[in-house]
Amino acid sequence: MNTPKNRNRRPEWLAGIFLTVALAAPAALQAEPVVKDGDLPMPLIERFENFGAKDGIPTHKVHAVYKTRDGHLWIGTWDGLCVREADGKFKRYGPEDGLSHKMVLCITEDPTTGDLWVATMRGLNKFSGGKFTQYTQTNSGLPNNVVYGCDVLDDMVVVATAAGAGILNLKTGQWRIFDHTNSLMHEPWCYAVKGAKDLIYWGIWGAGVLEYDFKKNTWKEYRDPDRDFHYDLVPDDGLINDITSWLSWEDGILWQNTYFGFTRYDGKKFKTWVQDQSPLLSNFTQIVWPHRRVAWIGMDKGVSVTDGEVWVNYEVGTDGEGIRTIHRPGAQPEKTVMNTALANRFVLGIYVDDEEAWFATSDGLSRGVYANPNPYKRLPGIAAAP
Amino acid sequence: MKSRGFIITSLASVVAAGGLGVGGYYWSVAHVQRWTGMDHLGFVNCNHCHLVRVEKLPWAKERPRHPAPAGLAVSPDGRRLYIALDDVNEVAEADTATLQVNRRIKLAGGPYGLLAHPQDGRLFVTLRHADAVVELEPGRLTEVARIPVGKGPVCLAYTRTEAGERLIVANSLSDDASLLSLSPLAEIARPHTGREPFATAMSADGSVAFVVGRIAETKDFVTPAASELTLIRAATGRVLKRVPLESAHLAEGLATVASRGWALTPLVKVRNLIPITQVANGWVMSSGLGITLADGQTVQVPLDEANDYFADPSGIAVDPAGRYAYVVSGGSDAVSVVDLERLSDWLSKACELTRREAVDDLSLSAEYVVARLRTGRNPRAVTLSPDGRRLFVGERLADRVLVVDTATREPVGHVVLGDGGAWDPIRRGESVFTKAAHTFQSQFSCRSCHPDGHVDGLAYDFDGDGIGDNLLDNRSLHGLASTAPFKWIGSNPSVEVQCGPRFARVLMRTDPIPPDDLKDLATYLQSLPPTGWERRRDLALTPTQERGRQLFFATTRPDGTPIPRERQCQTCHRPPLFTARIPTAVGTRGPRDATELFDTPHLLGIGYSAPYLHDGRAKTLEELWTTYQTNDLHGVSSYWSKHQLNDLIEYLKTL
C-alpha cells in the first residue's frame, strides 16, 4: 500500500511487526504447545497428513479437492480425476475412461442426485453412477472448453469459462450463455462461479464480480471503486480489485479472491484485507472455501483462516516444518512450530467441513486434522451448516 | 370464314400454350437451378417446395382411435384390473372374476403407465402426452392429485423407504426419471437416465429404484452400443450406478426378483456393426434377457431358439415366489415362461466365459424357457395378480387383455376392450409394422429398429452397396408423409417402394410383404406425426427461439452480405415440412460413401432423433456445425457466434 496515507502509517506498522516478533519469539521456540482454541471461531489444525505418488495420486500438482455427501474424497489433478478408496489409495480416471481432458480444475456435486460435475481444460463432465458424460463447446451449448469453475444450484449447472458464463438447465437441457455482448461483463474471461439461493455470482478476470438474479433476469456489477490494479486506495469501499481469481458464497457472505488482496461482502458492507495491513499471509489469494462463515483462504504462501476478526495462518517453514500463527484482535500473535506442514505452500484448492480440512497444493494433497473433534459444536454463535 | 378463324385461333392457342409450356418449363428449370445451385437434378415439380399444407397431411388429420391396452395394474385384493387406454384417453376397470369391464373413465393426456398402491389401492397414472402423474381415488376413480414430471412419462414403480413412500417415474422423452414422494405428492429429484427410459422397478428391500432406457447409446462406429440400466437410491434420488447393457436396445420391461436380488430386463440383442448379410445367419437381432446380479454384474441370456425367434420382448412380470418370469414378445405374439430356478442353476455352473457368450447360444434357452404361451396381436404389457395365480397380458393391437391361469398355463379368457380395429387400415398397418413374421425366421419386426416408429439411434451396414461402405443412420418414420423420396440417397420414390420387394431382399431376407399389407403399412407410416408434435404445435416461440428462427431464415449476414440462396437453411429445409425433398451435397461425404448427394431430411421432431447426418456421425445438433462443417456448405455458419448457434438449436427443437 504505497499511498501517501499508507506510507505515513508504515512506521507504526513496522513497529508492530517488530514488537510482535519479539513477544512471539519465546512461543516460537516451544514446539507443539497446548493451544487454547476453545475461544476460536474456527477449528485449529494440530497436524497435517500428506498424500502423493505413494498413495496413487498420479501427479504432484493437485488443483481441486472435494468431499461428496457420501463421504468420498475426490481430487482434480494435472493428470486426471481421482477418488480415495477404502484402502486409502487414490483411483484415477482419465480421458481413457471418458473424462474430456486430464487437467481437472474444479469439482462440485449435485446434492440431490450425487452427480459429480468436473471442470477441465477441455470441457465440462458429469460423472454419474460411474459414467462420464462430456459437455464441450462443440457438442453442446457450453460457452468455451476451458472451464475454470462450476457449481450446481437447484436444477442448474453454472459454469465459468474462458469465454463467458453458462447455465445448463438440467431439466430442459437448454444452455444460456453470457459474455460481454449480452451482460454487464466487460470481458468474457470468467474464473469462478457460485450459486447463492436466487443469485449467481461470477468472478470475472479484470471485471470484478457479477451478480445475476436468474428469476428476474437482472444483473448487478461489483467493481473495485478506485479501479487501480495494484493498490487499494480506499479500504473497505468495495471489492479490493477487479481481477477476481476466485470467489465463493455461503450463508449470506460473498468472499472474493484476487491477486492483490481479499474481500468479504455481507450484502451491506465490504471488508478488504491486504498482507501488509492484516494477518493475511499473501495478497496472492487464489482459492477460498467458506464454512460456517469462516473463510479458508489458499494462496502462494499457505493458508489463512478467518472469520474477519480472528486469523489463523498455516505456513511452511524453510526446513519444511509447519508454522501456525493465531492472530486475535488486540492480542499478540501466537506462533507455533508444528511437526507437520502443508505438502506445499502453494495452495490451489480447499475443502473444509466439520470433521477435517483438505488442501490441494502444487506438490501433493494435505489433510488438516483438527485439534478438537467437532470444534463448531462448542461455538454457539456460528451459523449452522446448510 | 368462321371455320378459318376458328383454325387460326386454335393454332394460335396451341402455339401460345406450347410457348407457355416450353417457356414455363425452362423458367421452372432455371428457377430450381437458381435456388438449389444444382443443374443435374432429376424430376422436380412445384410440390417439392410449394403447395404443401400441414393440415392436409395424413398425420395432421383426425384418425380412428382404438382402446389399445397400455399399462396394467391389479388392485391389492386382486379383484380389479386397471387398464390404461392411452389412444382413447381412458382408464378402464375390469372385474378379474367375470372379466367384464366395470367402467371406463376419461383421463386426457394419454394415460399410459399404471400403478395400484399395494396397501390402499390408490391408482397412479402417467399421462404420456401431458407430462404428469395423477392420483385416482380407487373407489370412484376420481382424480385427487396431479403433479408435473418430465416429458413422456410411461411407467412407474412404488416403494416404501426409511424416508417415506416413493414413486419412480420413467420419462421417456426427457431421458430422466422423476422421484416422487407421496406425502405430500411432490418431486424430490429428477436424475438423468439412459436414453428413452421406458421401464422401472424397485429392489426387494425398497432401497434402490431401477430404470432402464430402451434406446442404446453409441460412442463411435466400432464400439457396440449399450442401453443403460440406472440404479437410483429410492429415498433420495442419488444415482448409484449406471449399468451398461451391451449391444442391447428396445429394453421396455423391468422386474426384480426379491429372492435372488436380480433385476431382469428383456432386451433386443442388436448387432448393428456387422453387415446385414448376417440376418440370414441369425446374427443381427435376437431377443434376450438381461440379468443384473446383486453385485452389479450383468449376464445376458437368449430367449430365442435356434431357427425360432421371439421378437420384440417387452413387458415382464415375476411371480411372488420368484420362481417364474413371464416375458411377452410383441413381435411374435407369445409369452415366454422362464424358470428362474433353472436359470439360477445354470448361472451357478457357468464360468465367466460361458456367461459372456451365453446370449449367442440359442440352444441355451431350452435350459430355462419352460413354456411359450400364444397371445393375440402385439402383447406389450403384462402383470400378475397379487397371489400370482392370474397372468394378465395386454394384447395391444387386439384391444384385449388375455387372462392366463399360471398353474395350468392355459387361457382363462379375455377382457375385451374393443373390436381390434381390423376395419381401420392404419391399425392393420400397425399390425404389419409390429409383426416379426415378415422377417427371416421372425427375427425382428419393423418396430425392432423403429420403436413406435421412431429411431433406435444406430447406424447399420447394408451390404448391397458393399460391406463396410455407406453406413446408414436409422431415420425416424415420424412425420414422413409427403417427404418422399426415401432412403438416404433418395432413390425410393414412395413408402411402398422403400418397404417393398427390394427391402425384403436386403433386410428381411424373406418373402416381400404382401401388397395389401404393404399398402396398409404405408398408410400407417404416413399417419405417424412428428415426435412430440402435439405438445409443441401451439407454443409461442421464446425470445431465444425467435432469434434462432431469424437465423434459420436469414438471407444475409449481419454485415449485409447476401447468403447464396442454395446455402440458406430455408432453401433445402423449406417449411412447412422443412425439406425440399431434393438430394443435396452439403460436404458430408465420408471416405466410405459412394456419393456426396444425400436426401434432405425433414426437420420435424429433430430434437428427438439424434444422431444426425446420413451415417449418424453427429451425436448432437451442435456437432453438425461445430465439428462436421468446415466449408459453409451445410448452411453458411462461419459467421455464427456461440450465442447464435445455441439460439438456432433451441429453434430447431421447436420444429
Side-chain angles (χ1 to χ4, degrees):
Chain A
M1 302 301 293
N2 290 325
T3 64
K5 183 172 62 177
N6 289 335
R7 275 200 293 273
N8 292 336
R9 288 166 53 185
R10 178 168 290 173
E12 291 175 26
W13 174 75
L14 281 174
I17 288 290
F18 286 132
L19 190 61
T20 301
V21 171
L23 292 173
L29 296 174
Q30 180 189 358
E32 302 286 349
V34 177
V35 177
K36 295 177 181 176
D37 63 332
D39 61 332
L40 293 176
M42 70 279 283
L44 206 59
I45 292 173
E46 66 170 6
R47 63 186 166 86
F48 290 96
E49 296 172 352
N50 294 332
F51 304 86
K54 68 182 189 310
D55 305 294
I57 296 177
T59 178
H60 61 288
K61 196 167 283 186
V62 185
H63 297 144
V65 57
Y66 193 93
K67 190 158 79 174
T68 50
R69 293 191 172 204
D70 62 1
H72 283 102
L73 185 79
W74 294 83
I75 59 171
T77 78
W78 183 83
D79 189 19
L81 175 73
C82 303
V83 61
R84 193 175 185 217
E85 302 201 290
D87 62 0
K89 298 292 185 187
F90 284 84
K91 178 184 177 182
R92 174 184 176 275
Y93 296 93
E96 64 277 14
D97 301 302
L99 186 67
S100 62
H101 192 271
K102 68 177 184 177
M103 192 183 294
V104 175
L105 302 176
C106 184
I107 305 167
T108 193
E109 182 190 24
D110 185 326
T112 306
T113 63
D115 292 349
L116 208 63
W117 289 87
V118 183
T120 76
M121 283 295 283
R122 187 187 169 278
L124 178 71
N125 300 263
K126 181 181 73 179
F127 187 69
S128 175
K131 176 183 172 183
F132 283 100
T133 303
Q134 299 180 7
Y135 298 80
T136 66
Q137 67 184 46
T138 53
N139 77 1
S140 75
L142 181 73
N144 187 267
N145 271 348
V146 180
V147 186
Y148 292 114
C150 57
D151 195 22
V152 177
L153 180 64
D154 301 333
D155 296 323
M156 298 179 291
V157 175
V158 291
V159 295
T161 81
I167 301 175
L168 169 63
N169 186 315
L170 292 171
K171 284 185 175 172
T172 66
Q174 182 180 352
W175 279 91
R176 283 190 293 161
I177 62 176
F178 307 100
D179 58 21
H180 54 292
T181 65
N182 65 341
S183 74
L184 292 178
M185 214 175 286
H186 290 253
E187 55 178 285
W189 200 347
C190 301
Y191 252 26
V193 62
K194 185 67 181 175
K197 291 187 178 174
D198 294 341
L199 305 173
I200 301 168
Y201 289 101
W202 273 284
I204 319 294
W205 180 266
V209 172
L210 280 185
E211 177 187 287
Y212 179 57
D213 185 324
F214 55 85
K215 289 185 175 171
K216 299 176 183 170
N217 193 28
T218 57
W219 294 86
K220 188 175 179 182
E221 184 183 48
Y222 297 93
R223 301 290 299 271
D224 176 9
D226 56 43
R227 302 290 169 100
D228 191 297
F229 246 45
H230 296 94
Y231 309 111
D232 189 30
L233 300 176
V234 181
D236 305 335
D237 63 339
L239 297 183
I240 195 162
N241 197 280
D242 281 345
I243 296 181
T244 304
S245 55
W246 197 256
L247 61 73
S248 195
W249 180 95
E250 185 229 22
D251 200 17
I253 299 177
L254 175 71
W255 306 87
Q256 182 212 18
N257 294 95
T258 81
Y259 295 154
F260 305 89
F262 186 66
T263 308
R264 177 187 193 270
Y265 177 58
D266 63 7
K268 294 179 180 175
K269 291 189 294 187
F270 288 89
K271 174 69 179 168
T272 57
W273 292 276
V274 289
Q275 68 184 56
D276 53 358
Q277 291 186 44
S278 74
L280 183 69
L281 275 177
S282 166
N283 284 343
F284 196 86
T285 67
Q286 48 206 11
I287 186 75
V288 59
W289 183 280
H291 183 61
R292 297 189 185 242
R293 293 198 167 192
V294 170
W296 295 67
I297 312 160
M299 56 205 94
D300 59 341
K301 293 180 180 172
V303 171
S304 288
V305 187
T306 185
D307 67 341
E309 299 292 331
V310 177
W311 292 73
V312 180
N313 289 340
Y314 299 93
E315 300 171 79
V316 181
T318 52
D319 295 326
E321 76 280 17
I323 300 171
R324 181 183 63 206
T325 311
I326 302 174
H327 299 261
R328 290 182 169 90
Q332 296 301 322
E334 300 167 30
K335 192 170 186 179
T336 303
V337 175
M338 305 169 70
N339 291 331
T340 55
L342 287 162
N344 189 276
R345 68 180 192 167
F346 207 96
V347 177
L348 297 161
I350 296 177
Y351 173 88
V352 174
D353 61 21
D354 284 1
E355 278 74 42
E356 57 191 350
W358 288 90
F359 305 96
T361 83
S362 60
D363 194 15
L365 177 73
S366 295
R367 173 178 179 242
V369 180
Y370 296 157
N372 196 322
N374 301 319
Y376 292 105
K377 291 182 179 172
R378 295 176 292 111
L379 299 167
I382 304 299
Chain B
M1 287 297 290
K2 282 184 180 177
S3 60
R4 189 176 170 187
F6 175 75
I7 290 169
I8 291 171
T9 304
S10 299
L11 283 173
S13 299
V14 169
V15 170
L20 279 174
V22 172
Y25 170 77
Y26 281 109
W27 178 87
S28 63
V29 168
H31 170 76
V32 171
Q33 288 176 351
R34 193 167 62 249
W35 274 91
T36 64
M38 293 189 285
D39 57 5
H40 53 283
L41 293 170
F43 175 73
V44 177
N45 65 21
C46 301
N47 276 319
H48 277 85
C49 301
H50 309 284
L51 307 175
V52 178
R53 293 173 63 186
V54 166
E55 60 270 25
K56 296 286 186 185
L57 295 175
W59 52 258
K61 295 178 180 173
E62 189 55 39
R63 62 169 177 80
R65 300 284 171 174
H66 301 277
L72 305 173
V74 183
S75 61
D77 60 9
R79 295 168 62 183
R80 282 162 292 166
L81 172 69
Y82 300 106
I83 309 154
L85 307 172
D86 59 313
D87 201 35
V88 291
N89 289 323
E90 292 179 8
V91 172
E93 178 193 282
D95 187 306
T96 55
T98 65
L99 306 187
Q100 298 300 308
V101 175
N102 296 333
R103 55 184 156 173
R104 286 161 63 158
I105 62 147
K106 281 289 177 188
L107 190 57
Y112 200 87
L114 281 184
L115 182 139
H117 190 284
Q119 277 84 48
D120 57 33
R122 280 178 292 163
L123 199 62
F124 295 92
V125 188
T126 67
L127 301 181
R128 190 176 184 181
H129 307 310
D131 305 337
V133 169
V134 296
E135 177 187 335
L136 303 181
E137 180 270 322
R140 292 179 297 174
L141 292 184
T142 52
E143 181 177 334
V144 294
R146 171 181 292 243
I147 184 169
V149 294
K151 287 184 184 174
V154 289
C155 183
L156 69 176
Y158 166 89
T159 190
R160 182 185 291 275
T161 73
E162 69 278 6
E165 294 177 293
R166 297 286 185 267
L167 293 179
I168 187 82
V169 183
N171 302 319
S172 64
L173 284 181
S174 51
D175 297 348
D176 51 28
S178 293
L179 182 71
L180 309 180
S181 65
L182 289 192
S183 306
L185 188 61
E187 187 174 45
I188 296 172
R190 197 183 292 182
H192 291 162
T193 63
R195 186 170 176 191
E196 233 174 88
F198 222 80
T200 61
M202 294 290 186
S203 64
D205 65 1
S207 65
V208 179
F210 297 84
V211 184
V212 69
R214 72 171 177 177
I215 302 296
E217 297 172 58
T218 58
K219 285 185 179 174
D220 50 49
F221 290 130
V222 296
T223 306
S227 291
E228 181 181 303
L229 178 66
T230 314
L231 279 59
I232 299 166
R233 188 173 300 288
T236 63
R238 189 178 188 88
V239 177
L240 300 173
K241 196 175 180 64
R242 297 182 185 272
V243 179
L245 304 173
E246 188 180 291
S247 286
H249 83 158
L250 217 66
E252 295 182 319
L254 192 54
T256 52
V257 187
S259 55
R260 305 178 196 280
W262 293 353
L264 299 178
T265 315
L267 49 87
V268 171
K269 189 74 181 170
V270 63
R271 304 168 184 88
N272 62 305
L273 298 176
I274 62 172
I276 296 298
T277 49
Q278 294 297 332
V279 169
N281 296 320
W283 267 103
V284 172
M285 256 181 269
S286 57
S287 300
L289 191 62
I291 310 161
T292 302
L293 308 175
D295 62 2
Q297 183 191 1
T298 293
V299 181
Q300 295 179 15
V301 295
L303 286 172
D304 295 330
E305 299 168 16
N307 304 325
D308 196 4
Y309 291 71
F310 294 86
D312 298 348
S314 183
I316 180 172
V318 174
D319 66 18
R323 175 64 192 270
Y324 295 107
Y326 301 88
V327 184
V328 296
S329 295
S332 301
D333 302 342
V335 178
S336 299
V337 184
V338 179
D339 186 329
L340 299 178
E341 201 164 296
R342 294 174 70 168
L343 183 57
S344 180
D345 286 345
W346 174 84
L347 270 173
S348 65
K349 295 170 189 164
C351 66
E352 191 64 29
L353 180 64
T354 304
R355 288 181 173 199
R356 199 161 58 239
E357 296 180 345
V359 75
D360 296 329
D361 178 6
L362 298 188
S363 68
L364 188 60
S365 60
E367 295 275 343
Y368 44 79
V369 177
V370 293
R372 310 276 191 184
L373 315 178
R374 304 313 304 181
T375 73
R377 208 54 275 287
N378 194 222
R380 297 272 283 277
V382 62
T383 193
L384 282 156
S385 58
D387 60 9
R389 296 171 62 181
R390 287 285 186 273
L391 180 73
F392 303 95
V393 182
E395 298 172 344
R396 187 158 172 83
L397 296 182
D399 301 338
R400 299 182 309 193
V401 176
L402 170 68
V403 185
V404 177
D405 183 323
T406 54
T408 62
R409 293 177 187 146
E410 293 295 329
V412 174
H414 284 93
V415 176
V416 179
L417 302 157
D419 61 4
W423 46 268
D424 175 11
I426 295 176
R427 200 71 185 304
R428 293 197 303 266
E430 186 176 3
S431 187
V432 176
F433 185 78
T434 55
K435 190 183 290 182
H438 292 301
T439 60
F440 183 63
Q441 295 177 341
S442 301
Q443 290 178 25
F444 52 89
S445 71
C446 305
R447 190 178 181 275
S448 303
C449 299
H450 294 283
D452 297 340
H454 202 213
V455 296
D456 63 4
L458 302 177
Y460 290 86
D461 180 14
F462 284 78
D463 51 276
D465 45 15
I467 290 176
D469 292 337
N470 303 301
L471 292 181
L472 296 175
D473 175 49
N474 185 5
R475 290 170 67 169
S476 178
L477 306 177
H478 289 181
L480 67 71
S482 294
T483 65
F486 302 107
K487 209 175 174 185
W488 269 110
I489 56 173
S491 60
N492 288 332
S494 68
V495 173
E496 286 83 352
V497 173
Q498 171 74 20
C499 305
R502 184 183 164 280
F503 201 62
R505 183 172 63 82
V506 300
L507 177 64
M508 295 145 59
R509 308 276 164 172
T510 186
D511 294 336
I513 298 171
D516 288 346
D517 286 355
L518 185 60
K519 188 177 176 185
D520 291 339
L521 176 64
T523 305
Y524 165 69
L525 295 179
Q526 294 182 81
S527 76
L528 296 173
T531 315
W533 172 256
E534 289 296 331
R535 73 182 68 220
R536 293 193 307 275
R537 59 185 302 180
D538 297 325
L539 294 179
L541 296 183
T542 65
T544 299
Q545 294 160 350
E546 174 57 28
R547 289 194 301 272
R549 190 191 70 81
Q550 291 176 15
L551 194 68
F552 186 90
F553 289 99
T555 56
T556 62
R557 299 178 187 226
D559 63 1
T561 310
I563 299 171
R565 270 185 288 207
E566 69 273 18
R567 297 191 196 176
Q568 295 173 15
C569 305
Q570 59 177 316
T571 300
C572 300
H573 295 288
R574 188 169 182 83
L577 297 178
F578 292 86
T579 175
R581 306 191 289 120
I582 297 170
T584 312
V586 290
T588 54
R589 181 180 185 174
R592 308 290 293 178
D593 290 327
T595 178
E596 62 179 3
L597 284 171
F598 296 102
D599 181 50
T600 305
H602 73 78
L603 304 183
L604 302 178
I606 191 172
Y608 296 100
S609 63
Y612 306 103
L613 296 180
H614 64 278
D615 53 8
R617 73 180 78 160
K619 297 289 181 279
T620 64
L621 287 168
E622 286 87 350
E623 286 187 349
L624 289 170
W625 295 284
T626 60
T627 308
Y628 299 111
Q629 150 114 314
T630 57
N631 43 19
D632 276 355
L633 289 175
H634 192 182
V636 176
S637 62
S638 55
Y639 73 91
W640 294 350
S641 68
K642 185 68 178 173
H643 293 277
Q644 289 173 307
L645 176 59
N646 285 4
D647 291 343
L648 177 70
I649 283 164
E650 290 306 316
Y651 171 64
L652 292 176
K653 290 177 183 174
T654 70
L655 300 180

